[in-house]
Amino acid sequence: MPALPGAAASAKPALPMAAGGGTKTAAAGRLYDIVVFGASGFTGQFVVEEVARAAAAAAAGEGQLCGGRLRWAVAGRSREKLRAVLQRAAQRLGKEAPGEEVGVLLCDVGDAGSLATMARQTRLVLNCVGPYRFFGEPVVEACVENGASCIDISGEPQFLEGMFLKYNEKAAEKGVYVIGSCGFDSIPADMGVLYTKDKLKGTLTAVESFLSVKSGPEGVAVHDGTWKSAVYGLADEDNLKKLRKQIGYAPVPVVGAKLKKRGFLFYSPEFKEYCITFMGSDGSVVKRTQRYLHTELQQTPVQYGAYATLGGLGSVLKLMFMGMLFLLLVKFNFGRKLLTKYPKFFSGGYFTKEGPTQKQMDGTSFTMTFFGEGYSEGQDPQKGKPNVKICTEVKGPEPGYIATPIAMVQAGLSLLEDTASLPKRGGVYSPGAAFSKTKLIDRLNKRGVEFSVISKPEV
């Protein structure tokens, strides 16, 4: 099959589809397995590096991709920037130059034709163009209409659930998978709950997770794209409630003792730190997964609470001041403009337009600790109090630009390679719903996002 407009002239003919049927569509004959869209963006450059690393592993005989190689391309608006990103990735992997087999596609989120052309050439699009509430839907639509699966790293519940409402049935008809929140938001949390459930001998009924992020002497920084998503997400919270009413979710039953909801701010004796409710998408994503596993696979749903450790009293006072200012400004258009124009000032230096330096990323890591409770084998979860506890952990490197690309790319490889273990129908899925039966956790462990049992179940 010749390269379509925008493809690199050096692209090689397509190989047959990998065993298992790919995304259960006629994907044989497509030029690429993966296209990274938004490859020259701040996050996209790190995703490109991770795909290049996966391609090198496939060439060395790891994985089950047909022909022993990963066929991939980068996509974006500027050929020069895309080539520069490929050059950077090659150098990071110790190579003088990127391989000629990597395709370069010119594509713009505002040009539906270019998105369709991109989607027709590949089995899977890794979408790195956010905020997704503004730029995500055209990519999802193009992929669904043209028979390509799509993975993103959105932490925006309104976008994620809106795509379910609009495209779930069409994706099912086309036999493709649209899987959101496949970065740090929210694979560690979603897959961590499933891992905890798997390691408990009995019935897991409730889990609380606590996120801790540690930094080196250079501190922590996050690119302001994440800040923008938070600003517009909180400003539009009322519409999320309307969206959920429109979807008409079936209520998830509470099995076992009801998990007590903590206050927004509290002191944890386990961590000897103050903690807050985690404001990201983890809670909504885990709930979507548990709803799916209950309604479609008749599994016992797990209640879930997500929290983050904060530190001492000084950190609490700083958060309270910054938080009140943020919540005041986010309600007004003028305030939102100030927040997005000066992210470094309003976030106390945490969010910047430049993003983190390499030293900051190298010195940062995360730990997500899961405290689970449930009922031992033979015990009825509907009777009595939980009588068994377990503690598990997910640990990894810097969350935003090291762990997120790892999670996204390994999710993509699971979609391409673990085809027999995916849900039988295509559709719009959360990570846990899509990957609960795949080898995703094993893949993550091998790439440094590690799942482990800290304390075995105690009766």
Side-chain angles (χ1 to χ4, degrees), residues 55-290:
E62 300 175 24
Q64 294 82 44
L65 286 167
C66 186
R69 68 185 180 97
L70 180 67
R71 304 165 298 142
W72 66 290
V74 292
R77 292 179 293 181
S78 167
R79 188 180 299 275
E80 291 72 24
K81 288 182 179 180
L82 293 171
R83 292 198 181 282
V85 164
L86 288 175
Q87 184 67 39
R88 175 191 177 278
Q91 291 173 351
R92 292 275 296 168
L93 270 64
K95 298 180 180 180
E96 291 186 6
E100 291 185 358
E101 73 278 2
V102 182
V104 176
L105 312 181
L106 296 183
C107 190
D108 191 325
V109 74
D111 182 348
S114 70
L115 292 177
T117 298
M118 172 184 69
R120 283 196 294 269
Q121 294 183 76
T122 188
R123 296 168 61 195
L124 172 64
V125 171
L126 301 183
N127 182 16
C128 303
V129 180
Y132 291 92
R133 66 168 50 246
F134 299 130
F135 307 117
E137 183 173 354
V139 181
V140 171
E141 183 177 19
C143 288
V144 171
E145 292 293 339
N146 294 282
S149 289
C150 181
I151 280 176
D152 68 53
I153 47 176
S154 171
E156 306 164 47
Q158 187 170 345
F159 168 76
L160 296 165
E161 296 178 47
M163 293 305 94
F164 174 81
L165 178 64
K166 294 186 71 171
Y167 295 99
N168 185 54
E169 289 305 318
K170 189 66 176 286
E173 290 171 16
K174 292 279 188 174
V176 299
Y177 299 88
V178 177
I179 309 169
S181 51
C182 285
F184 179 72
D185 294 310
S186 292
I187 277 184
D190 206 13
M191 301 306 294
V193 171
L194 299 186
Y195 177 83
T196 306
K197 184 177 183 179
D198 181 61
K199 296 302 177 182
L200 183 81
K201 290 184 178 179
T203 304
L204 183 72
T205 57
V207 171
E208 290 182 321
S209 70
F210 289 80
L211 169 65
S212 298
V213 176
K214 303 298 181 186
S215 63
E218 299 284 329
V220 177
V222 182
H223 191 262
D224 76 327
T226 303
W227 174 259
K228 290 176 182 175
S229 296
V231 168
Y232 291 110
L234 281 172
D236 211 20
E237 204 166 14
D238 288 343
N239 283 327
L240 177 58
K241 295 176 182 177
K242 294 176 184 176
L243 174 63
R244 287 171 173 168
K245 285 184 179 179
Q246 196 175 351
I247 293 171
Y249 285 129
V252 179
V254 174
V255 177
K258 188 173 182 179
L259 183 62
K260 293 181 180 178
K261 192 173 182 179
R262 297 177 184 261
F264 179 76
L265 175 69
F266 59 94
Y267 184 80
S268 167
E270 292 91 352
F271 294 97
K272 295 182 174 58
E273 292 185 40
Y274 285 95
C275 300
I276 59 169
T277 298
F278 183 64
M279 300 296 287
S281 61
D282 289 355
S284 64
V285 171
V286 169
K287 193 166 186 176
R288 285 176 58 212
T289 292
Q290 294 304 316

Side-chain angles (χ1 to χ4, degrees), residues 353-408:
K353 292 183 180 292
E354 300 78 24
T357 64
Q358 190 62 51
K359 282 186 177 181
Q360 284 176 318
M361 289 189 286
D362 291 342
T364 303
S365 62
F366 80 90
T367 302
M368 192 172 282
T369 306
F370 298 82
F371 296 101
E373 65 178 25
Y375 297 76
S376 58
E377 292 175 313
Q379 290 292 116
D380 186 351
Q382 301 289 20
K383 297 178 181 178
K385 295 180 179 180
N387 68 336
V388 63
K389 294 183 178 181
I390 185 173
C391 178
T392 64
E393 199 172 70
V394 179
K395 298 179 74 171
E398 189 277 333
Y401 312 104
I402 301 180
T404 283
I406 289 171
M408 187 184 212

Side-chain angles (χ1 to χ4, degrees), residues 22-25 149 164 167-179 292 295-297 415 419-430 433-435 437:
T23 55
K24 305 179 184 177
T25 65
S149 289
F164 174 81
Y167 295 99
N168 185 54
E169 289 305 318
K170 189 66 176 286
E173 290 171 16
K174 292 279 188 174
V176 299
Y177 299 88
V178 177
I179 309 169
Y292 170 84
T295 57
E296 298 296 327
L297 303 181
L415 192 149
T419 53
S421 302
L422 296 172
K424 292 180 180 178
R425 296 176 77 240
V428 178
Y429 290 96
S430 60
F435 299 121
K437 296 182 179 180

